Every structure is written in structure tokens, then in C-alpha cells.
Amino acid sequence: MDQRENGMTCHSKEQNGLMSKSIEKKDLFVEYSTERRTGCYLSRFQGTCLILGNLIILCTAVALVAFVKKERIIYGSVSEPICSCDSPKPYTNVTLDYSYVRNQTSITILSENLAEEENSTLSENRHEEEEGSKEVPEEKVIPKETPWREIRLSRDLMPLLYEIHLKVDLENLTYRGHVNMTLKCTKNTRFVIFHISHIFLNKTSVKITDVDTQKTFGILKQFRFIKNQFWVIELSSELSEGTLYKVSVGYRGNLHEDLRGIYLSKYVTPEGETRRLAATQLQSTDARKTFPCMDEPDMKAKFRLTLTHQEEYEALSNTPRISETLENGWKTVEFDTTPVMSTYLLAIVISDFTHRETVLDNKFDIRVWSQPNKINQTEYAISMVVQCYHFFTEYFNITDVLNKTDHVAVPDFSGGAMENWGLVLYRETALLYEQGVSSSENKLMVTLIVAHEIAHTWFGNMVTMRWWDDLWLNEGFASLLMYFAMDAIYPDWNVFTLSVVAKEVFPVMVKDAMTTSHPVSTPIATPDDIAESFDSISYSKGMAILRMLLGFVGWEDFQKGLRLYVNKFKFRNAEMDELWDTFTEAVNYKYDIKSTMNTWTRQMGFPVVTMQADRDCYNLTQERFLYLDSMNTSQSSDEEYKWVVPFTYITEDESETQLVWMNNTSATIPRTIDSWILANYEYTGFYRVNYEVSMWRKLANQLNRNHTIFPEANRAGLIGDSFNLARAKLLDYDVALHMTTYLKYERGYAPWVAFLDSVEYIKSSISKSGAYVLLQKYLLDLVAPVFDSIEMSVEGNLPERFLRQTILKLACDVGYKKAVAYARRMFYLWKDQGMTLPSDYSSVIYMVGVREGGVEEWDYVWNKSQSTNVAVEREMLMEALGQSQKPWLLWRYANWIFDSSRIRMQDVRLVISYLSKRPLGRMITLHLLMTKWDKLNEQFGFDNFLLRETIAEVTQFVNSEFEYKQLATLFKDKPPKVAKKQTQTSLALIRANINWMNENYDVITEWLRNHVVGML
């Protein structure tokens, strides 16, 4: 359509898709009217009837217009600046694509992101600064300098200090702020560019002054470049290199429940009163949603924050408060200046929470905050915080530069936790622990997450990656360091086997074996790419390859390298190469760390090392491990993936670990004739090993004779490797299945988890076929003797308790009568008599009660999930609801994700994962994805994690050609904004699933028939 507004031209292109109506934010206000003229030949009688009919319609329309005003709202956004630097023309064509229109009558699109003067008129006063402009061809007025078109800000101006005054109104759900940015000019420039997003900028408040002379600079133009979320100011004269300048900006915004930037959260008190609070989540690119800033990780600065809010609340930020005043019901709090840090680490909480506090000997103040009625659940967390700070302070030999830390359990939080320096925020299940209610698994999770966030103090906060392509430097190191702390605090937990191998390495290897994976260090081209980089590749694979580095440099040199790195780059940013150079120095140049580790960080995937006998040696060769056929891979024929592999092994005759380097090539090791070789000792390497079939049989025989000869991590590794090699068609499934026959004697947790994760793929793939019954019977034969040999107690160390929980769940899932009877009896004792359940088994008991029950049981569990004040108990109850075998109950549950009064937005992805755990639920969630795709995108498309994880959960076991084509068409016609990579991964996985069924179903069925007793 054409649009003319006050003689001003603006070009608009659709960019971001539609926004969620729950956020109530729009990107453009457009009004238009259309004329429709038609003609035809009619008889007089027909003409008379038509005129009378039209008169009736006209009268009706006039009445409606007179008494009813309706609006049609189209959600959209534009990729070009609304206020262009180009000389204006009186007319422009504006194309607006949209996919959702509320059922109303006149069109209105309101921009929340424009300068305040532009919100309703597209700048009524803009003609003043453009007066006298001549109309010229568009190509001749494009400025020679367009720094706003780059995704990265120039370094011509670098921030030193932000002085922020923010007034947050939790009654009217608004905030209003003013920021003074002190910038240092590093190169002469006439442009000032910073980030804004979803805030109203007061254009008349913008002022640029010389800090020393107080000279104010004239502004030629200022506009918003939506594509890169920039506000661009062109000055009438240049800023000078080496000079300090102050940029002042006023702005305002609205609080929404979108879990981004500064946002609204709520909770309900035991008395039924709904209480509000404000919290922040600024990582990765939402500091700009809270205040105008240079929102890139290497543009570090100090922050001086002043908050004003209603007096009944208390405000927290990164640093201690230094003053507090009250006036007319408003409280104003000034906070101390922060250390030099990245914008995404600034944090705010305004709430009526209470806290638990302890002060260390060095006067370091530690507080843990929660809703008042949950403060008793913070005791374990504060003890962990204390122990973790002690450990990391000693490990790095560097104390935290702040003198306090607050840890807050927020009712609504998108991730697990966020490491904001001095003010760490968590979702409630990640921080709160209730003895006797929370399970041992929840205790492990709280321990892991607290240790992870505190590790960020040194690795992420003090030293930060230079750009988001090296996000893994932050997250990979924090993920490894948390296990260091846990191992020191709980040495009997055996966390490197319990969690690292079983829960981190194995799952991420599955994702990294797809052609749609990405390198640990991956290029970032758009803001959406930043959001998509927060995945298991950055976290778990990053951690795994660092653990491999630890394996060959040793604990002492690894610690030395980390200390050197933190001391060298403290309060600064670093790139990956600088880390490797520091480690090379730490090992006294024994290894070229950079050339070794670059093969693991700069290319996707990982190798499978194949051992083949050749006379008196074994030849070791490597190739990229993939699930897909080579004909389906995206790599070109001349592009080979090779790694520098630290290949470790032991033999039946020699228990000392041997190390052989595969430097992008093959290698050889001595051959053993009649004894076994076990490679990748303790599973420290991020690679799989494929033996000759005869060696696989020797290893299987050893497992059946005495499986404890092998470390638990390697027993898990043999099962995981064999099944995944079979899935990739590098090993026959009968060999992999033969590796599991010893499990009836296994009492270690990690091998059982490896087996269940591996067999889950088979179970889910054949769940709609006859072989499913055979597999269930085989699993029953394995688990029954183990269940009979263990007691359902809550005593013992964590691995023992984890094993009992795992065995009980498997026994109930396959219908072992003793296990099901135990769970059913306990469920009704809890339901009818109010008995307290053993915390480790309560989750399984809830599941069995719902699965075996009907509407009464389902509704009872739902009501309990809404009334409990223990977040982890609520999650266990909500997980159980997804186990029902009544489709109408599952459909009701699935549709509730769109009702925020029933399912909080932070819990939507959990509900989807709960529903996707069993065959019936998977069918329903897949149908939901395909039939409610528009609504899912509309309501959750802005979330960095939710839609991506939903797609992954729902599609991971799809294996029909029909469903593949439906999903491919859906993803192509309506691609999601922040989950495009996931759609590609899912389609690739589905294609692999289809091929897998065609090639392996008959082999697996035949093996099961030969090994299952008592089945037809």
C-alpha cells in the first residue's frame, strides 16, 4: 500500500514475524482504507432489489460505525529504519506481510520501539530537520558511511560508565528511566550508535556533551535501525579521539510477563493474594530492553544504578545499596558502582521476598532470597553457596571483587539460572530444596546449578568471551568447574561418572552426530544466531572437550592454566586462541594446545576411531561419526573432518593407561592375540570406539564374567558406543544387544542410564509395531532380578539412591507386578490417608497412580500440583499428569499450555517434554505441533529456548514419511524465528529415523525372539 504522513517518507520491510499477543508489543502503527468498485448489468427489477438491499446494509453499517468502534491489529515489524537518514520523498510504497489478524475491523499497528514523538504520527516534527530537502533519486542520497548496517558496533566509542536511574511502577506495570553513558572516543567519528529494543525513547531528551568542556553537540538526524536494534545519532561535528563524552537518554517501557529484559513475575501467597515482582534476564541481548546501551560483551563498563519503586518492596542489584530515601510512598535506592563488566550481567529484583543470610570470615555477605513462605527451603542452598565460594576462591587463588552475593529464587524464569555478578537469579526448582519432599535428583540439580553459577564469577564475569561465537568459553568452563566443586564437596557422589558421562557426554554426542550440528565456536551473523547458540553444544560439548584437555595435561597444569588465564584477562575479554596460548604456556610448551583443541572447537562433530587387526598391531583410523548416510551429508567430497585424538587404552594384561596421539591421521598400537583391549579409558575422550566383532565379543564375555574389572564409566561407554554405532550402521544390532545381557548383574547407575538412553530410541521407534512387546519382555527379564535384590529405602550415597529410583521406574514401566503393586499401594496411601512418600520414589509413584487411574486420580494430582509450595514437588506432579493413558485427559493437558493461568510460560516446555515420554503422549504432542503451529509461534515465538526445545522433544522419534513431509512443509512455509536450526536438525533426524526403521527393524525383532523366553 501507499502511505503519506506529514510529507515524510519511510521504507518498511517485514523482519521479525508476528509477536506474541501475550506480550502486547507491536512494531509499527499503520492505518489504511480501501475503495472497492464493481460493476454489472441488471434488470430494473434486479436493480430495484439491489438498491433496497444496499440501503438496508448501509443503514446497518452506519449504525455499527456510530455505536461500535473496533480495531484490527496486525502484528509485524520492519527491517529498515522508520526514520531514515536518506532525504525524504513525499510518497513511498510500504509492504506489510502478516500471518495473523485479530478478528476486528480497522487496522492499527502500534510501535513500542520508536522514539516517543514517533509513536502515533511517525514524527510530526520531523519536517523541521528536513526542511529545504530536495527530492532526488533514492540511490543518490544513501550516505557513504552506514555503520549501523553492521551487526557489530564500531569501537570508535567505548563505554566507561553507565549512570542509570530507573523508576519501576509495579502497580501500573511501567518503568521510566534515564541513562548517562560516559564514552571514550577511540577514533574521530560523527556517529553515536547504541542498542535499544522494546522501549520508548524520548527523542528530545537525547544530548551529547563533552565531559571536560560541557560543550553540547548538535544532532543532524537520529533514527532507529530495527534490523540490528540500533539507535543511530548523526552529529553536526565530529567527536575527537581520546576525549570523553556523555550521552544522555530518557526512555520508558512496559512490564510484561515475557521473561526478557526487565519483566513482571507473580506469585500467590498462602492466603490467596497475588503478589507482583520485577526481575531481569539480560543475557544475551536484552540489556537493551531495560536501558539504552552498547549491548555487546566486550564493551565492558561500570554501572551506577539508582532504583525508585513503591515502598512496600525491596530492591536488589549487583552491588550493596549505599543510600535509601522515602518520599510520597516511593522508595529510592542508590547502589554502589559495579566492577567493570558486560551489560548482560546487570541485574535487578524488586520484590517483597525474605532472605537467609551468613557472613564469611572475610566479611563476604551471602544471602539467599525466596517467597516468604518458602524461606525454609533455602537452607541447603546457602550451605552450598558458602562451600562453593570457599572452593573456587582457593582453586583460583583469587577472591571475588564484590563483598556480597545475593541468590534469588524467582517464580518465573526462562532458564535454569543466570550468573549476574553479585545477584544470581534462579528458577525455584534450581535453588530451593525441601528435605523429605525433594528427591536426591533434585538435590544433585540444585548442587550442580549453584556451583555452575558461582564458577561464572571467575569464568564469565571477571573474564568474559569477546563475542558470542565463543559463548562456550563461559559455559563450557563453568560446566566443568561445577563438577570440580561437587567432587571436592561430595567425593562419594562419583560425579564424573554419575553425571558427566551419563547425563552430559552421551546426550550431546547424539546431537553432535547430525550434519545439522555446529562447531563449539560458531560464527554469529544476526541477533537470532546469538539466541540459538545457547544449546548443549556450547554447554555440554564445551565441557566434554575441556575434560579431555584435563585428561592429557593433568590436574595440576590444568589449574595452573586457568589461574594464569583469569589473572591475565581479569576485567577484560578474551578470545579462544588467547586461552589456548595460556594453556600452552602453563604446560611449558609440552603440547601445542591451540593446534590440538582447534580440531575440536572449529569443526562440528567428533570422530569414531576404528581398530582393525593387522599382523602384530592394531591400525587406528578415524572418520567423522554420523547417523546419516554419507550421501545425505552436507560436507563436500573433498572436505575431510580430522581431529587430533588423545587415544587412551588398557589391556587385559596391562592395567596402566597408555596414550597414543592420532595427529589428524591414523596410528598403531600393539596387538593382543587372546586378550581384550579397552579404549578411551574412563571415557575421558570425546570420541567413540569401534572394535572388530571378535573384540566386542571378548569385551561382552568379560562383562558377563566380572563386569567390575572395567570402570563404571567404561561399562556405560561400551553400551553407549555399541548402540550408537549400530544406529549409524557401523555395527550390527545383535552385537550391541549382546553387550546388555550382563545387566541383570549390574548395580552401577551409569551403565543402566546409558542402556536406557540407548534403548529408548529403539523403544520409541518401534512403539507402534509388534516388536514392542518383545522388547518390553526383554527389559522385564533384565530388571526383575535387580529390583528383587534392592530395598526401597532412602539410605545410601547418591549413586545408590539414583540406581534404586531408576530400577523402580523401569520395573513399573515394563509392568513388573511387584513394582507396580508397590507404587499403586503407596499412591493410594498418599491420596487417601495423606501418607508422606519416600522423596526418591514419589515421582515414580505419582506416575503409576495417574497411569493406572482415571479422571479422579488425574484431577487429584493436578489439584495437588497447584496447592503445593514446593516447586520441585509441583514439577514431579505435573510430570505424572503426562503419563495418563486416557487421550482426552492428555489433550486437555496439552491445550492448557496456552492458558497461562494454568501453566506458567516457564513450564510450557516441561509439560511438552512430560507428554512426549510415552507413545500416546508423543502422538498427541506431534498433532498439537502441526495443528497449533501458528498459535505456538504467536504465543512463544519470542522465547530463545521454548520453541526450539518443543520442536526437538516432539519430533525426536518421528519415523514416518507422511509425517516428515507434513513437518517439512510446515517448517518451510512458516519458519520459526529463533528455532530455524532446530527445524533443520529435526528434519535430518526424522529422515535418519525413517532409514533406521527400514534397515534395522527385522534384525532387532529376530534377536529379541531368540533371547526372550515365553513369547510367541
Side-chain angles (χ1 to χ4, degrees):
M1 66 181 176
D2 295 333
Q3 176 180 310
R4 183 188 299 182
E5 185 84 12
N6 296 326
M8 174 62 190
T9 300
C10 66
H11 300 276
S12 302
K13 295 178 182 177
E14 186 274 344
Q15 177 205 12
N16 291 326
L18 69 97
M19 298 291 289
S20 168
K21 68 178 180 181
S22 65
I23 310 177
E24 300 181 356
K25 296 187 289 293
K26 297 84 187 172
D27 277 324
L28 185 62
F29 189 103
V30 180
E31 292 188 359
Y32 75 87
S33 60
T34 60
E35 294 184 359
R36 183 177 179 182
R37 298 179 180 176
T38 57
C40 62
Y41 293 97
L42 301 172
S43 69
R44 291 181 179 179
F45 176 78
Q46 290 173 323
T48 302
C49 293
L50 182 61
I51 291 169
L52 289 173
N54 285 338
L55 285 172
I56 295 171
I57 293 171
L58 180 62
C59 292
T60 305
V62 169
L64 288 173
V65 170
F67 295 102
V68 181
K69 179 181 180 181
K70 294 186 178 181
E71 294 181 346
R72 174 177 294 172
I73 300 177
I74 298 179
Y75 297 89
S77 62
V78 294
S79 59
E80 296 297 322
I82 294 301
C83 229
S84 176
C85 280
D86 302 348
S87 296
K89 291 184 291 185
Y91 297 92
T92 185
N93 291 325
V94 178
T95 301
L96 177 64
D97 296 328
Y98 62 93
S99 56
Y100 170 73
V101 180
R102 288 187 188 171
N103 193 18
Q104 303 175 9
T105 52
S106 68
I107 290 192
T108 303
I109 304 178
L110 177 64
S111 169
E112 187 170 273
N113 295 328
L114 299 177
E116 189 152 10
E117 290 81 358
E118 299 171 345
N119 285 336
S120 60
T121 66
L122 292 179
S123 187
E124 296 178 66
N125 63 353
R126 227 176 309 177
H127 64 279
E128 297 177 4
E129 61 188 51
E130 293 157 1
E131 192 173 357
S133 297
K134 295 182 178 180
E135 186 175 331
V136 294
E138 183 175 348
E139 60 270 13
K140 294 185 180 180
V141 298
I142 297 176
K144 293 181 180 179
E145 292 183 78
T146 56
W148 56 87
R149 297 189 180 276
E150 301 294 328
I151 184 177
R152 302 285 301 274
L153 289 170
S154 77
R155 269 48 184 172
D156 296 347
L157 293 168
M158 293 296 290
L160 301 179
L161 174 67
Y162 293 92
E163 297 170 283
I164 306 164
H165 191 162
L166 191 63
K167 184 176 182 179
V168 180
D169 187 344
L170 279 166
E171 182 177 339
N172 295 305
L173 304 182
T174 61
Y175 59 94
R176 185 178 295 273
H178 188 275
V179 59
N180 291 325
M181 294 178 260
T182 301
L183 311 177
K184 182 177 182 179
C185 184
T186 62
K187 180 183 177 183
N188 289 3
T189 182
R190 59 190 180 91
F191 292 100
V192 177
I193 305 176
F194 50 82
H195 291 97
I196 67 165
S197 177
H198 297 92
I199 55 178
F200 297 85
L201 188 145
N202 184 348
K203 193 172 180 181
T204 60
S205 72
V206 178
K207 185 182 296 184
I208 292 93
T209 58
D210 186 308
V211 170
D212 292 330
T213 67
Q214 296 302 304
K215 172 189 173 183
T216 299
F217 285 76
I219 298 175
L220 289 179
K221 300 181 182 70
Q222 51 180 316
F223 60 89
R224 180 172 177 264
F225 187 64
I226 295 175
K227 180 179 180 181
N228 290 337
Q229 300 178 340
F230 287 159
W231 189 263
V232 183
I233 303 168
E234 184 178 359
L235 303 175
S236 58
S237 58
E238 280 194 334
L239 304 180
S240 301
E241 180 180 347
T243 307
L244 298 184
Y245 297 94
K246 181 173 290 185
V247 178
S248 300
V249 182
Y251 64 97
R252 63 182 177 87
N254 298 313
L255 292 174
H256 300 287
E257 297 179 84
D258 56 356
L259 311 184
R260 298 172 57 201
I262 183 167
Y263 66 90
L264 175 68
S265 180
K266 301 174 184 176
Y267 72 93
V268 180
T269 68
E271 295 74 31
E273 180 187 3
T274 298
R275 299 291 293 165
R276 292 173 172 175
L277 63 141
T280 54
Q281 172 56 31
L282 307 189
Q283 193 183 52
S284 54
T285 59
D286 285 317
R288 65 195 68 174
K289 188 174 178 286
T290 306
F291 62 102
C293 58
M294 294 180 170
D295 196 13
E296 297 187 15
D298 68 327
M299 304 190 84
K300 287 188 171 185
K302 294 183 177 181
F303 297 81
R304 189 176 298 148
L305 176 67
T306 301
L307 288 176
T308 299
H309 55 83
Q310 280 96 348
E311 62 181 347
E312 64 263 32
Y313 298 102
E314 185 165 2
L316 301 173
S317 190
N318 306 73
T319 52
R321 71 191 73 184
I322 57 177
S323 71
E324 181 178 307
T325 58
L326 288 173
E327 184 178 355
N328 299 326
W330 292 90
K331 184 187 296 184
T332 298
V333 181
E334 184 181 356
F335 294 92
D336 203 355
T337 305
T338 70
V340 175
M341 66 185 195
S342 300
T343 49
Y344 73 83
L345 293 172
L346 189 70
I348 297 168
V349 172
I350 301 172
S351 72
D352 61 355
F353 286 179
T354 56
H355 68 273
R356 189 187 297 270
E357 185 173 13
T358 187
V359 181
L360 304 184
D361 293 339
N362 63 355
K363 308 302 181 184
F364 189 74
D365 191 10
I366 297 173
R367 298 182 297 184
V368 178
W369 299 75
S370 73
Q371 298 176 36
N373 67 315
K374 298 184 179 183
I375 195 64
N376 61 311
Q377 300 174 39
T378 62
E379 184 176 358
Y380 178 70
I382 200 166
S383 70
M384 272 304 302
V385 172
V386 170
Q387 293 179 84
C388 286
Y389 269 102
H390 280 310
F391 172 81
F392 287 120
T393 299
E394 181 179 342
Y395 185 84
F396 286 103
N397 197 27
I398 302 172
T399 58
D400 192 348
V401 298
L402 294 176
N403 60 2
K404 73 93 178 176
T405 182
D406 290 296
H407 296 249
V408 185
V410 181
D412 302 282
F413 198 74
S414 62
M418 178 60 206
E419 66 270 15
N420 314 298
W421 205 348
L423 179 55
V424 186
L425 304 189
Y426 303 77
R427 68 167 51 202
E428 290 184 329
T429 53
L431 187 66
L432 304 181
Y433 176 80
E434 176 80 349
Q435 185 70 34
V437 179
S438 302
S439 67
S440 55
E441 186 169 3
N442 177 239
K443 185 175 184 178
L444 173 68
M445 187 56 60
V446 171
T447 307
L448 279 173
I449 293 176
V450 168
H452 180 101
E453 304 310 323
I454 293 174
H456 273 306
T457 302
W458 291 264
F459 228 100
N461 299 358
M462 287 188 191
V463 183
T464 313
M465 77 271 157
R466 194 177 301 279
W467 180 237
W468 297 108
D469 53 0
D470 280 333
L471 170 69
W472 80 276
L473 289 180
N474 279 18
E475 301 303 341
F477 270 103
S479 296
L480 180 62
L481 290 167
M482 70 185 182
Y483 289 113
F484 288 8
M486 285 181 62
D487 196 48
I489 297 168
Y490 296 111
D492 63 326
W493 283 14
N494 191 21
V495 293
F496 284 101
T497 296
L498 178 74
S499 286
V500 175
V501 174
K503 292 178 175 289
E504 299 254 23
V505 176
F506 289 164
V508 78
M509 279 182 139
V510 172
K511 180 173 183 177
D512 205 27
M514 307 299 296
T515 57
T516 51
S517 183
H518 63 83
V520 169
S521 182
T522 187
I524 299 295
T526 70
D528 291 341
D529 290 340
I530 299 171
E532 293 201 54
S533 66
F534 284 79
D535 63 2
S536 59
I537 298 295
S538 295
Y539 284 74
S540 296
K541 183 180 179 180
M543 180 276 301
I545 63 175
L546 290 171
R547 176 172 172 260
M548 183 170 62
L549 171 64
L550 167 67
F552 67 81
V553 303
W555 286 85
E556 185 177 339
D557 283 342
F558 191 85
Q559 182 181 18
K560 181 181 176 183
L562 287 182
R563 285 183 173 183
L564 281 172
Y565 181 74
V566 174
N567 275 293
K568 183 181 294 186
F569 295 101
K570 188 177 180 181
F571 302 128
R572 295 193 290 145
N573 298 76
E575 294 179 324
M576 181 171 62
D577 287 350
E578 292 168 315
L579 172 71
W580 301 145
D581 291 342
T582 304
F583 266 99
T584 300
E585 179 184 348
V587 299
N588 199 25
Y589 303 94
K590 179 181 179 181
Y591 302 109
D592 182 354
I593 303 296
K594 179 179 176 180
S595 62
T596 298
M597 297 306 293
N598 276 352
T599 64
W600 299 93
T601 59
R602 296 197 181 278
Q603 58 184 353
M604 70 181 83
F606 60 91
V608 52
V609 177
T610 301
M611 292 177 52
Q612 290 183 315
D614 183 13
R615 299 176 184 174
D616 59 349
C617 67
Y618 287 106
N619 289 327
L620 307 178
T621 57
Q622 61 167 293
E623 62 179 330
R624 183 182 175 192
F625 180 80
L626 286 170
Y627 290 131
L628 303 183
D629 298 331
S630 59
M631 62 180 292
N632 293 325
T633 66
S634 58
Q635 65 192 84
S636 60
S637 58
D638 59 346
E639 180 184 4
E640 292 190 2
Y641 285 75
K642 296 296 179 184
W643 290 262
V644 178
V645 181
F647 185 85
T648 59
Y649 67 97
I650 62 171
T651 70
E652 190 170 0
D653 304 318
E654 178 55 66
S655 60
E656 185 176 347
T657 307
Q658 306 295 314
L659 171 64
V660 174
W661 284 96
M662 301 177 67
N663 294 313
N664 295 307
T665 57
S666 58
T668 59
I669 60 174
R671 181 182 180 184
T672 57
I673 302 300
D674 298 319
S675 59
W676 49 256
I677 288 181
L678 180 69
N680 199 4
Y681 189 67
E682 289 286 3
Y683 219 91
T684 56
F686 195 73
Y687 54 88
R688 299 196 186 279
V689 179
N690 194 6
Y691 307 91
E692 292 181 316
V693 172
S694 59
M695 185 60 71
W696 279 112
R697 298 202 182 280
K698 289 177 184 178
L699 294 166
N701 292 337
Q702 179 62 63
L703 287 172
N704 280 283
R705 287 197 309 271
N706 180 9
H707 60 278
T708 60
I709 292 292
F710 299 150
E712 186 177 341
N714 280 111
R715 303 199 301 268
L718 287 170
I719 293 172
D721 279 359
S722 60
F723 273 87
N724 281 280
L725 288 164
R727 182 175 170 184
K729 299 187 293 185
L730 299 175
L731 188 69
D732 290 337
Y733 259 104
D734 58 352
V735 177
L737 287 164
H738 192 61
M739 301 299 294
T740 68
T741 57
Y742 90 99
L743 280 169
K744 59 174 66 78
Y745 311 111
E746 178 63 78
R747 300 299 181 268
Y749 170 73
W752 274 103
V753 170
F755 170 62
L756 293 177
D757 286 348
S758 299
V759 83
E760 180 64 25
Y761 180 77
I762 300 176
K763 277 182 63 180
S764 300
S765 297
I766 68 174
S767 60
K768 293 179 281 187
S769 65
Y772 185 74
V773 179
L774 292 171
L775 181 58
Q776 289 288 85
K777 180 60 168 62
Y778 178 65
L779 296 175
L780 176 61
D781 292 343
L782 289 179
V783 75
V786 182
F787 179 85
D788 291 341
S789 69
I790 61 177
E791 296 181 359
M792 291 292 103
S793 72
V794 291
E795 303 300 323
N797 60 31
L798 202 68
E800 293 169 345
R801 295 168 66 182
F802 267 43
L803 175 68
R804 289 195 292 264
Q805 183 183 32
T806 300
I807 294 301
L808 174 63
K809 183 178 185 305
L810 175 60
C812 290
D813 286 348
V814 297
Y816 188 42
K817 291 182 179 179
K818 287 184 181 180
V820 174
Y822 166 80
R824 277 178 57 88
R825 179 172 58 85
M826 297 296 285
F827 178 84
Y828 286 104
L829 287 173
W830 167 74
K831 176 178 175 293
D832 299 332
Q833 300 179 25
M835 188 188 80
T836 300
L837 297 176
S839 59
D840 282 349
Y841 313 129
S842 54
S843 177
V844 179
I845 292 168
Y846 298 147
M847 289 181 189
V848 172
V850 170
R851 194 158 62 221
E852 299 282 316
V855 175
E856 179 185 344
E857 289 78 7
W858 199 99
D859 286 346
Y860 183 83
V861 171
W862 167 257
N863 291 331
K864 293 295 284 186
S865 75
Q866 301 306 293
S867 62
T868 181
N869 78 328
V870 180
V872 69
E873 183 179 32
R874 182 180 71 249
E875 284 196 359
M876 288 190 288
L877 291 162
M878 291 177 68
E879 181 176 9
L881 295 170
Q883 297 284 309
S884 175
Q885 293 304 288
K886 306 294 188 292
W888 57 90
L889 290 175
L890 294 182
W891 266 115
R892 178 173 73 172
Y893 196 30
N895 280 298
W896 278 358
I897 68 172
F898 301 111
D899 183 355
S900 60
S901 67
R902 296 182 184 273
I903 308 294
R904 288 179 179 268
M905 196 178 83
Q906 69 167 10
D907 295 328
V908 169
R909 51 184 167 165
L910 296 178
V911 172
I912 293 293
S913 71
Y914 301 154
L915 287 164
S916 300
K917 290 184 182 297
R918 293 186 68 83
L920 179 58
R922 279 196 293 273
M923 292 170 61
I924 287 172
T925 55
L926 179 61
H927 192 63
L928 181 85
L929 181 77
M930 291 192 287
T931 58
K932 300 290 180 72
W933 179 248
D934 288 342
K935 194 169 185 179
L936 285 165
N937 275 277
E938 172 199 336
Q939 200 155 326
F940 309 121
F942 59 87
D943 189 279
N944 290 343
F945 302 99
L946 194 156
L947 197 58
R948 186 172 71 209
E949 294 185 10
T950 296
I951 294 169
E953 282 284 349
V954 172
T955 61
Q956 61 181 322
F957 299 120
V958 174
N959 58 11
S960 79
E961 193 71 42
F962 175 72
E963 290 164 336
Y964 173 85
K965 291 178 179 178
Q966 284 186 308
L967 288 168
T969 301
L970 181 68
F971 295 155
K972 180 182 178 181
D973 293 345
K974 299 177 180 180
K977 179 183 176 185
V978 295
K980 292 178 183 177
K981 288 183 181 177
Q982 184 57 57
T983 62
Q984 296 167 4
T985 299
S986 293
L987 291 174
L989 183 59
I990 294 169
R991 174 55 62 195
N993 294 344
I994 294 170
N995 294 339
W996 183 91
M997 277 292 285
N998 294 334
E999 294 161 1
N1000 298 294
Y1001 179 79
D1002 292 340
V1003 175
I1004 292 171
T1005 303
E1006 183 64 24
W1007 190 92
L1008 290 170
R1009 289 190 186 281
N1010 293 333
H1011 288 81
V1012 172
V1013 179
M1015 296 292 292
L1016 296 176

